[in-house]
Amino acid sequence: MASSKAFTMAGGDAAYSYTKNSTIQRDGVDAVKEQIKEAILEKFDLNSLGFDTSSTAVIKIADLGCSVGPNTFFSIQNIIEAVELKFLQAKNQNLSALEFQAFFNDHYENDFNILFKTLPPRKYFAAGVPGSFHGRLFPKSSLHLAHVSYALHFLSKVPKEVVDRNKSNVLNSSDKEVVEAYSTQFKSDMECFLNARAEELVPGGLMLILAAAVPDGISASDTMAGLYNDVMGSCLKDLVKMGVLGEEKAKSFNVPVYLATVTEVEAVFRTNGNFSIEKMEKFAQPMKTPLSPESYALAVRAGGDGLIRNHFGDELAEQIFNHFNTNVEQNFPKFLGVLRNNLNLFIVLKRI
């Protein structure tokens, strides 16, 4: 696989599209709505940002790794409502002079057509910004707020060491050398991400982050991500034994995803030096919508359909997902058992 090739969530409106299978992420977005409001009310300093609340103010917001909706729209709306409340509480407030510019960012391959076709009625000006958030996307000091949810675990590429040694992230998820290579890549990518945002955010601007993470001290096999690796790896091995899939093709399949530990995440933020950590909270994965074998399998496909098809082709992709669905049903009690170890982080960073 071309390890540096980007992949995006499944677009369109098919049964396995991200639009129809992102309720797990939606539950997370809803869970931090109040925290976002509190962060903006407490940390978004209008005076230091140069806003005279009696004159026209244009607040520029970017959602990084937005995918195709609808969750990105909920996130932007939550931020806007919090900023409006902040202005209402300020002296000489004048909401009629308050305007918003929202930038929706994702890779070039993202289904921006679906994104903009489904834009809800809104009070902001919308624009698409294609490109990887691991690099610069906006002019210097042009953003007041940046938001990213459930996207920082996507790496810019599969680590070179893994590709060169033909190691598979799925088939060798417990290999220490593989884990170290992915951890190093994550730290490098996060440094690029933070440096880019440091240039784009105005001093005093906020970055609001919702991220999936792995609890410290928990074995990878005892997390949803680890169990997914085991089940998908088992599927590929089965298809190799059945003669459906070539062994080299299976072994060369690598996933540019890494779920960091809480300690790893905090460390990269503290060592960067461009931001102050205003808040970092851990909370369990909210599950307002009950998880079933079918809904989980569809959610996995919504996230990995493009990656699987790119590597194996359309025909084999269908067989892989069908086999994966069967394995999920057989192992679903295990998934429910490790669900309690799912961890989310809500992080507020302020540009120094």
Side-chain angles (χ1 to χ4, degrees):
M1 186 184 74
S3 60
S4 60
K5 180 177 176 61
F7 75 97
T8 59
M9 305 299 97
D13 57 0
Y16 57 84
S17 65
Y18 185 80
T19 297
K20 293 183 177 179
N21 296 283
S22 55
T23 55
I24 295 175
Q25 294 88 337
R26 170 66 189 277
D27 288 346
V29 169
D30 288 345
V32 298
K33 180 177 180 179
E34 285 302 310
Q35 286 94 320
I36 284 177
K37 182 174 74 173
E38 290 174 6
I40 290 175
L41 291 179
E42 296 173 5
K43 306 296 183 180
F44 196 62
D45 190 329
L46 300 178
N47 292 329
S48 67
L49 290 169
F51 290 118
D52 179 353
T53 54
S54 63
S55 60
T56 301
V58 180
I59 307 295
K60 295 182 179 180
I61 309 163
D63 190 37
L64 307 165
C66 66
S67 191
V68 295
N71 295 337
T72 184
F73 306 139
F74 297 129
S75 297
I76 291 294
Q77 187 59 36
N78 291 342
I79 292 170
I80 287 176
E81 289 176 1
V83 173
E84 287 181 327
L85 183 58
K86 178 75 175 184
F87 267 75
L88 282 172
Q89 292 180 353
K91 294 181 179 180
N92 301 317
Q93 47 77 20
N94 183 8
L95 280 187
S96 63
L98 182 60
E99 295 188 331
F100 295 93
Q101 172 79 68
F103 299 100
F104 296 95
N105 156 256
D106 213 313
H107 287 290
Y108 296 95
E109 295 86 351
N110 186 56
D111 194 345
F112 283 100
N113 286 333
I114 285 291
L115 175 72
F116 288 114
K117 281 181 180 178
T118 55
L119 268 173
R122 59 201 180 280
K123 57 178 68 177
Y124 55 85
F125 297 95
V129 181
S132 170
F133 59 45
H134 292 110
R136 284 283 303 279
L137 295 165
F138 303 95
K140 290 184 177 181
S141 300
S142 62
L143 296 177
H144 302 104
L145 290 150
H147 173 268
V148 56
S149 65
Y150 297 121
L152 293 184
H153 55 282
F154 293 110
L155 304 178
S156 65
K157 63 180 180 180
V158 173
K160 185 176 183 297
E161 299 89 338
V162 175
V163 176
D164 289 347
R165 296 182 59 185
N166 203 29
K167 293 270 191 177
S168 168
N169 181 35
V170 171
L171 301 183
N172 297 282
S173 59
S174 60
D175 188 307
K176 288 185 178 180
E177 293 180 356
V178 170
V179 173
E180 288 176 3
Y182 272 86
S183 176
T184 299
Q185 185 65 53
F186 171 78
K187 293 170 185 174
S188 174
D189 284 347
M190 284 303 302
E191 186 70 9
C192 292
F193 172 84
L194 291 171
N195 288 341
R197 303 295 84 76
E199 292 199 62
E200 296 164 351
L201 280 163
V202 300
L206 298 182
M207 182 148 57
L208 310 168
I209 299 172
L210 174 58
V214 176
D216 292 312
I218 296 293
S219 170
S221 60
D222 291 328
T223 65
M224 289 286 279
L227 187 53
Y228 159 78
N229 282 352
D230 292 341
V231 173
M232 181 59 80
S234 177
C235 287
L236 297 183
K237 289 179 180 178
D238 289 345
L239 292 173
V240 169
K241 291 178 182 178
M242 294 163 58
V244 174
L245 185 62
E247 184 175 4
E248 289 305 310
K249 193 71 172 175
K251 288 181 65 177
S252 62
F253 176 65
N254 299 290
V255 182
V257 167
Y258 178 71
L259 287 178
T261 65
V262 176
T263 297
E264 286 176 307
V265 173
E266 185 173 9
V268 294
F269 290 150
R270 292 201 182 280
T271 57
N272 178 262
N274 291 307
F275 297 90
S276 62
I277 301 177
E278 301 295 322
K279 178 178 290 188
M280 185 171 176
E281 294 182 354
K282 298 181 288 186
F283 62 98
Q285 174 66 47
M287 294 296 297
K288 293 194 299 184
T289 307
L291 192 65
S292 68
E294 181 182 13
S295 64
Y296 175 74
L298 284 170
V300 168
R301 181 161 185 173
D305 187 75
L307 183 68
I308 296 286
R309 288 183 185 278
N310 177 66
H311 187 72
F312 295 104
D314 292 344
E315 184 176 346
L316 282 175
E318 291 299 326
Q319 294 184 65
I320 290 170
F321 280 118
N322 288 337
H323 200 59
F324 179 77
N325 294 350
T326 300
N327 281 19
V328 167
E329 289 186 18
Q330 295 172 349
N331 292 276
F332 197 63
K334 293 182 181 178
F335 281 102
L336 293 178
V338 301
L339 183 61
R340 66 182 181 276
N341 292 330
N342 259 32
L343 184 65
N344 286 274
L345 297 175
F346 176 65
I347 307 157
V348 179
L349 304 179
K350 177 178 280 192
R351 177 69 173 96
I352 297 173

